């Protein structure tokens, strides 16, 4: 177990090192950070003084090590657009994105897996066939179109839900949440559906395909020949063996929900990391872009480590090996 964890940790560190090099390259080679900080009116002497103070006159390997050291402390400089420390700007947007992604993930998993199991077990039932059609629509339609359609129906026509924003939020320590207010929940409904719909249909189709594959296996036929009840075959023997590929895809998709909620946040003007990175790219806010890359890479690494641990728990062959 410890060796398994150490291997995964080493892989994660290697990924973070590569991403840190990319972030360093973006920070140093897209424009001149000194010009971005002091503006065009500063004298050459002032620019050179700032360059020396930031360590930008040192050799590149030294600059990279300094960048890495600051990144480990969560320091990525000052946002060009917000004129605040990057860590503070990102910390103010993380709660909105995490709450949206968490609700979308719960919805996608909570509906996608049971519906996929049902469609796999009752593949000839009309309900399973209808789910196949609905899932195909969910995968095919772009998420921004779903968001616009929801706004048109529930905000413009029915006036049930707000079309943009996060609603009223309250502070719980350093965390701001909309989960404790009615307007926060109302504002969360449409972005959650929009963000989760693709993953929900993907999980459903994947679970159905894996269940169909496992149900044709010899050990399932043998279990039926032994007279084991169908419920036990479905949920004890078959479902457990479908989980490994599902865990792989779920891990990647949950990371994508956090990293690439950009379209959903843009459609609903949701004040999260997606909106922040769009603004950062628009204004060439290089420190913010570099920090976002590092943060997203870290989230992917952590989520995949959790997925690897779940493999270990689900598959006894890994524990034996």
């Amino acid at each position: 177990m410890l060796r398994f964890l150490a291997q995964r940790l080493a892989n994660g560190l290697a990924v973070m090192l590569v991403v840190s090099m990319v972030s360093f390259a973006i920070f140093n080679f897209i424009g001149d950070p000194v010009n971005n900080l002091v503006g065009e009116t500063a004298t050459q002497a002032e620019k050179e003084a700032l360059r020396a103070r930031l360590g930008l006159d040192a050799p590149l390997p030294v600059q990279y090590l300094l960048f890495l050291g600051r990144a480990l402390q969560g320091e990525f400089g000052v946002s060009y657009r917000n004129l605040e420390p990057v860590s503070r700007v990102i910390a103010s947007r993380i709660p909105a994105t995490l709450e949206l992604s968490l609700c979308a993930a719960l919805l996608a998993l909570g509906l996608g897996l049971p519906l996929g199991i049902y469609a796999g077990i009752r593949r000839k039932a009309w309900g399973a066939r209808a789910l196949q059609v609905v899932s195909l629509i969910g995968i095919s339609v772009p998420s921004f179109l779903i968001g616009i359609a929801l706004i048109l129906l529930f905000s413009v026509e029915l006036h049930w839900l707000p079309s943009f924003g996060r609603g009223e939020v309250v502070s719980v320590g350093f965390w701001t949440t909309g989960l404790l207010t009615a307007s926060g929940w109302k504002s969360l409904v449409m972005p959650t559906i929009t963000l989760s719909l693709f993953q929900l249909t993907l999980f459903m189709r994947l679970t159905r395909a894996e269940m169909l594959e496992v149900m044709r296996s010899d050990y399932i036929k043998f279990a039926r020949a032994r007279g084991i009840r169908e419920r036990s075959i479905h949920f004890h023997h078959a479902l457990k063996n479908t989980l490994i590929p599902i865990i792989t895809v779920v891990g990647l998709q949950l990371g994508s929900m956090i990293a690439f909620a950009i379209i959903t946040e843009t459609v609903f003007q949701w004040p999260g990391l997606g909106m922040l990175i769009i603004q950062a790219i628009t204004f060439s806010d290089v420190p913010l872009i570099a920090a976002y890359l590092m943060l997203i890479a870290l989230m992917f690494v952590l989520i995949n480590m959790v997925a690897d641990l779940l493999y270990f728990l689900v598959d006894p062959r890994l524990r034996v090996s």
Side-chain angles (χ1 to χ4, degrees):
M1 179 71 175
L2 288 177
R3 185 180 176 187
F4 181 81
L5 282 175
Q7 287 177 343
R8 295 301 182 271
L9 190 60
N11 292 341
L13 288 175
V15 171
M16 290 305 300
L17 275 177
V18 171
V19 175
S20 70
M21 290 177 188
V22 174
S23 299
F24 173 74
I26 290 174
F27 191 84
N28 282 270
F29 300 118
I30 296 181
D32 187 344
V34 173
N35 284 337
N36 290 328
L37 285 172
V38 300
E40 296 179 355
T41 57
T43 64
Q44 189 62 30
E46 289 174 336
K47 291 181 180 178
E48 292 302 324
L50 181 59
R51 195 180 300 279
R53 186 151 56 88
L54 295 176
L56 297 177
D57 57 346
L60 276 180
V62 177
Q63 287 188 46
Y64 172 68
L65 291 176
L66 290 173
F67 172 82
L68 201 57
R70 289 194 297 269
L72 289 174
Q73 299 172 34
E75 295 180 9
F76 290 91
V78 176
S79 165
Y80 298 157
R81 178 174 179 272
N82 298 282
L83 301 179
E84 292 182 50
V86 169
S87 56
R88 189 187 303 168
V89 175
I90 288 181
S92 68
R93 299 297 190 99
I94 282 181
T97 294
L98 286 187
E99 284 186 359
L100 174 60
S101 302
L102 178 64
C103 291
L106 290 176
L107 182 63
L109 286 171
L111 287 180
L113 296 185
L115 291 178
I117 294 169
Y118 167 76
I121 294 173
R122 309 286 183 215
R123 63 189 178 91
K124 292 184 179 178
W126 67 267
R129 293 178 181 177
L131 285 175
Q132 281 292 95
V133 175
V134 172
S135 67
L136 192 59
I137 295 172
I139 286 183
S140 305
V141 179
S143 58
F144 75 88
L145 197 59
I146 294 168
I148 292 172
L150 290 174
I151 290 173
L152 185 64
L153 177 62
F154 292 105
S155 298
V156 178
E157 296 294 332
L158 300 175
H159 304 287
W160 287 356
L161 299 170
S163 60
F164 66 91
R166 200 180 169 199
E168 185 183 355
V169 296
V170 295
S171 297
V172 181
F174 67 92
W175 194 270
T176 57
T177 179
L179 301 180
L180 300 178
T181 64
S183 66
W185 277 104
K186 289 174 70 176
S187 301
L188 194 59
V189 172
M190 289 195 293
T192 300
I193 294 173
T194 304
L195 184 60
S196 67
L197 195 58
F198 176 81
Q199 278 76 16
L200 190 157
T201 51
L202 180 66
F203 295 161
M204 186 177 73
R205 292 179 72 86
L206 177 66
T207 307
R208 175 186 177 275
E210 291 298 327
M211 284 294 290
L212 288 176
E213 183 69 25
V214 171
M215 293 299 287
R216 287 195 287 263
S217 303
D218 290 339
Y219 72 91
I220 295 294
K221 297 174 184 173
F222 183 67
R224 283 190 172 129
R226 289 174 58 200
I228 298 176
R229 291 186 305 168
E230 284 294 314
R231 178 180 291 272
S232 178
I233 291 173
H234 293 156
F235 295 101
H236 181 69
H237 296 276
L239 180 60
K240 194 173 181 180
N241 287 286
T242 65
L243 288 180
I244 291 180
I246 293 173
I247 288 172
T248 304
V249 175
V250 167
L252 292 173
Q253 290 299 319
L254 293 184
S256 300
M257 275 187 181
I258 299 172
F260 307 119
I262 294 173
I263 295 174
T264 302
E265 293 190 0
T266 303
V267 170
F268 292 98
Q269 294 295 297
W270 189 263
L273 288 175
M275 281 285 292
L276 183 67
I277 192 62
I278 287 289
Q279 294 165 353
I281 293 171
T282 304
F283 288 91
S284 299
D285 198 342
V286 177
L288 204 48
I289 297 171
Y292 181 81
L293 279 179
M294 295 284 287
L295 178 66
I296 294 304
L298 180 63
M299 285 184 180
F300 266 97
V301 167
L302 292 177
I303 289 173
N304 278 285
M305 283 188 69
V306 172
D308 288 341
L309 288 176
L310 289 177
Y311 293 157
F312 203 83
L313 294 175
V314 169
D315 192 345
R317 292 170 297 183
L318 286 176
R319 293 197 293 271
V320 172
S321 63

